[in-house]
Amino acid sequence: MEDNKKNQLNIELSEEVAQGIYSNLAIITHSSSEFVLDFVRIMPGIPKANVKSRVILTPEHAKRLLLALEDNVKKFEKMHGPIKLSSGGHEPMMPPMSFGGPPAEA
């Protein structure tokens, strides 16, 4: 039982981080040593979007994230039914350039 206490990790979540950052686009790039995940929020009628959060992972952690996401999606779909992808699920979905209508006027 003492070994379990030594191996426990105390993770703290600040109130600001707990609120999260909404993202509706993820851009993933990689090099030989890291994966970079940029999370972007695209707003209707605004032709410019900013990266809201960037996460940098080692290749091993990127693969662990992939496996954890796959497991969680399977669990979600078992409870709530299939998640429908408008692109058919075979290609990465990119928002259309005219996403949300005409660009906002300054």
Side-chain angles (χ1 to χ4, degrees), residues 17-45:
V17 173
Q19 293 178 19
I21 302 279
Y22 177 76
S23 170
N24 52 8
L25 176 66
I27 299 170
I28 303 169
T29 55
H30 61 86
S31 70
S32 60
S33 60
E34 61 194 15
F35 279 74
V36 178
L37 287 69
D38 286 329
F39 295 94
V40 181
R41 181 183 317 146
I42 299 173
M43 299 302 292

Side-chain angles (χ1 to χ4, degrees), residues 86-104:
S86 58
S87 67
H90 300 293
E91 305 170 7
M93 188 174 145
M94 292 298 295
M97 296 307 279
S98 61
F99 179 76

Side-chain angles (χ1 to χ4, degrees), residues 10-76:
N10 183 15
I11 299 174
E12 295 182 4
L13 181 63
S14 72
E15 189 175 326
E16 180 184 2
V17 173
Q19 293 178 19
I21 302 279
Y22 177 76
S23 170
N24 52 8
L25 176 66
I27 299 170
I28 303 169
T29 55
H30 61 86
S31 70
S32 60
S33 60
E34 61 194 15
F35 279 74
V36 178
L37 287 69
D38 286 329
F39 295 94
V40 181
R41 181 183 317 146
I42 299 173
M43 299 302 292
I46 301 175
K48 182 178 178 182
N50 294 322
V51 172
K52 295 297 180 179
S53 182
R54 172 174 275 189
V55 178
I56 303 170
L57 305 165
T58 64
E60 179 183 355
H61 283 104
K63 186 136 189 189
R64 289 181 188 274
L65 175 63
L66 170 67
L67 295 173
L69 281 170
E70 285 178 338
D71 182 53
N72 277 270
V73 166
K74 285 177 188 174
K75 289 174 182 175
F76 177 92

